[in-house]
Amino acid sequence: MTTPSAAASPGAEQPAELDMDRLSLLLFGHAAFQYLNAACELELLDLLLERGELTAEEIRAELGLAERAADILLLGCTALGLTRKEEGRYRAATLIASLAEDGGWDKLKDTVAFEQHIVYPGQADFVASLRENTNVGLRRIPGDGPDLYHRLSRHPHLETVFYRYMRSWSELANEHLVAALDLGGATRLLDCGGGDAVNALALAEANPHLHVTVLEIPSSAPVTEKRITEAGLGDRVLVEPCDMFADPFPGGMDCVLFAHQLVIWTPEENTALLRKAYDALTPGGRVVIFNSMSNDEGDGPVVAALDSVYFASLPAEGGMIYPWRLHEKCLREAGFSSVERIEVPGWTPHGIIVAAKQDT
């Protein structure tokens, strides 16, 4: 999905100097997001997308809101540009309508729900997480698991929100992964920490000869298995419960995929995982890193910087949206060569790195 305000490519010029309007949005950014979340949860924007232009009175009646509550909602949404008011009638912003036309609006709503219900509580500990260089915000998710992923199964609502988001976030860019990754000569692919198999299924559908093994923690493996069954690809895609750090990887693989995994852990942990991938690959096999990337210069893009608050505060002890160069350093330390960067277009800062195991 692309938008009229697609993010600039890595290495682009820095944003203009800070002004008071931008500073105000930073100061009250938490409130701005709450308007976006309210517009999604109360289905204001869906109503306008379905019905077209409506008056405030019609909106109040449809949403079941009191006059004051509707006035607050419409004030914020219109001031922020989510809605437009013309001759006393409100409509959804042109960008929202455009996103709805190409299927991106539902994916964006999944992202909003993830930010509201999972990220927002934990990022209250962002400063403490920076000071202590660990994920202090995990304390906001009850449980005794060592990271967010081991705790989600105790919270069915959060688990649902999380996997919907991960599926949508992947789908915003994985069409480029499918197009860019030539798997014509591969028969066995290992998807490490593959979540609900969103990327594994996309690659299997595009490559009918391919067999995929998804490694996922035991508490989440049933979610993965259910999705594979629903897709009707159980003959070529299977899930193997696994602790990636403690358990060995199955060998004889032509390709090993880390999708949205190496933003979670420290560089040292990433190198260790990449070494295990190296050992799992046949000579000439390839490893693929697919996730958001920050610029090598450390100045953006903005979405990568904002997303790093989550990785610093909540999921595990280390992680951020790393620059391309750091992933490449980890790959070299793990023994890989022939490293290739593939930039992904669109407003999300996704990127792909492909590296090869030397063919001996």
Side-chain angles (χ1 to χ4, degrees):
M1 179 187 69
T2 58
T3 73
S5 56
S9 60
E13 292 184 6
Q14 293 188 50
E17 283 284 347
L18 184 69
D19 59 21
M20 283 307 301
D21 286 342
R22 192 157 171 237
L23 181 58
S24 295
L25 278 176
L26 292 173
L27 180 60
F28 296 106
H30 59 290
F33 173 78
Q34 290 306 321
Y35 276 114
L36 174 60
N37 181 65
C40 292
E41 290 201 17
L42 296 173
E43 299 186 343
L44 167 64
L45 295 171
D46 289 287
L47 172 66
L48 295 174
L49 288 169
E50 179 184 351
R51 296 277 301 278
E53 297 181 354
L54 296 174
T55 66
E57 291 77 10
E58 291 169 330
I59 290 170
R60 287 203 303 269
E62 291 289 339
L63 300 185
L65 294 177
E67 183 175 358
R68 170 185 164 276
D71 286 348
I72 293 171
L73 178 63
L74 291 171
L75 167 64
C77 289
T78 306
L80 291 167
L82 295 170
T83 55
R84 302 286 294 180
K85 184 180 182 182
E86 297 167 356
E87 298 181 355
R89 303 181 72 85
Y90 294 85
R91 63 172 175 82
T94 302
L95 176 60
I96 302 297
S98 175
L99 292 173
E101 287 178 4
D102 70 9
W105 175 236
D106 286 337
K107 295 179 176 63
L108 190 66
K109 287 193 296 181
D110 290 339
T111 304
V112 172
F114 170 75
E115 294 292 323
Q116 172 71 9
H117 297 286
I118 295 179
V119 179
Y120 233 80
Q123 71 181 3
D125 292 315
F126 180 49
V127 173
S129 297
L130 293 178
R131 284 178 172 153
E132 299 183 30
N133 196 32
T134 191
N135 56 327
V136 177
L138 184 62
R139 64 183 179 178
R140 310 284 178 167
I141 309 294
D144 54 8
D147 52 51
L148 172 66
Y149 314 103
H150 285 86
R151 297 188 183 190
L152 283 174
S153 61
R154 287 190 49 184
H155 308 278
H157 172 65
L158 294 185
E159 186 175 50
T160 299
V161 168
F162 178 84
Y163 281 108
R164 281 179 179 167
Y165 158 74
M166 282 305 305
R167 170 164 289 273
S168 290
W169 192 245
S170 293
E171 287 176 344
L172 287 170
N174 70 4
E175 63 184 272
H176 302 289
L177 175 68
V178 172
L181 189 59
D182 181 2
L183 293 171
T187 59
R188 298 187 65 196
L189 182 144
L190 186 65
D191 182 5
C192 299
D196 72 349
V198 56
N199 297 302
L201 293 172
L203 291 170
E205 288 171 355
N207 299 275
H209 61 283
L210 189 67
H211 290 258
V212 183
T213 299
V214 180
L215 299 185
E216 187 54 55
I217 58 175
S219 61
S220 298
V223 176
T224 314
E225 183 111 25
K226 181 174 182 290
R227 180 64 72 171
I228 293 169
T229 301
E230 290 172 347
L233 286 171
D235 59 329
R236 291 194 294 117
V237 182
L238 61 89
V239 58
E240 183 171 320
C242 173
D243 181 326
M244 291 193 302
F245 290 100
D247 300 331
F249 286 4
M253 296 293 166
D254 304 304
C255 185
V256 176
L257 172 66
F258 291 98
H260 298 114
Q261 273 298 307
L262 303 190
V263 291
I264 301 170
W265 318 108
T266 66
E268 294 76 18
E269 289 170 320
N270 287 345
T271 301
L273 289 174
L274 289 168
R275 287 194 179 111
K276 296 181 76 170
Y278 189 93
D279 292 339
L281 285 166
T282 57
R286 294 171 296 163
V287 66
V288 179
I289 300 171
F290 171 61
N291 50 232
S292 297
M293 307 282 183
S294 61
N295 298 344
D296 287 337
E297 296 79 10
D299 57 4
V302 171
V303 175
L306 298 179
D307 203 14
S308 289
V309 175
Y310 162 71
F311 289 105
S313 304
L314 189 60
E317 291 186 1
M320 65 173 288
I321 305 301
Y322 291 110
W324 297 79
R325 59 176 171 75
L326 190 54
H327 289 300
E328 292 166 346
K329 179 175 182 288
C330 293
L331 283 164
R332 288 191 294 270
E333 290 177 352
F336 288 97
S337 59
S338 305
V339 179
E340 176 190 6
R341 296 185 183 190
I342 303 172
E343 295 179 11
V344 174
W347 68 272
T348 69
H350 280 86
I352 304 167
I353 301 178
V354 182
K357 177 176 180 176
Q358 188 172 358
D359 193 351
T360 55

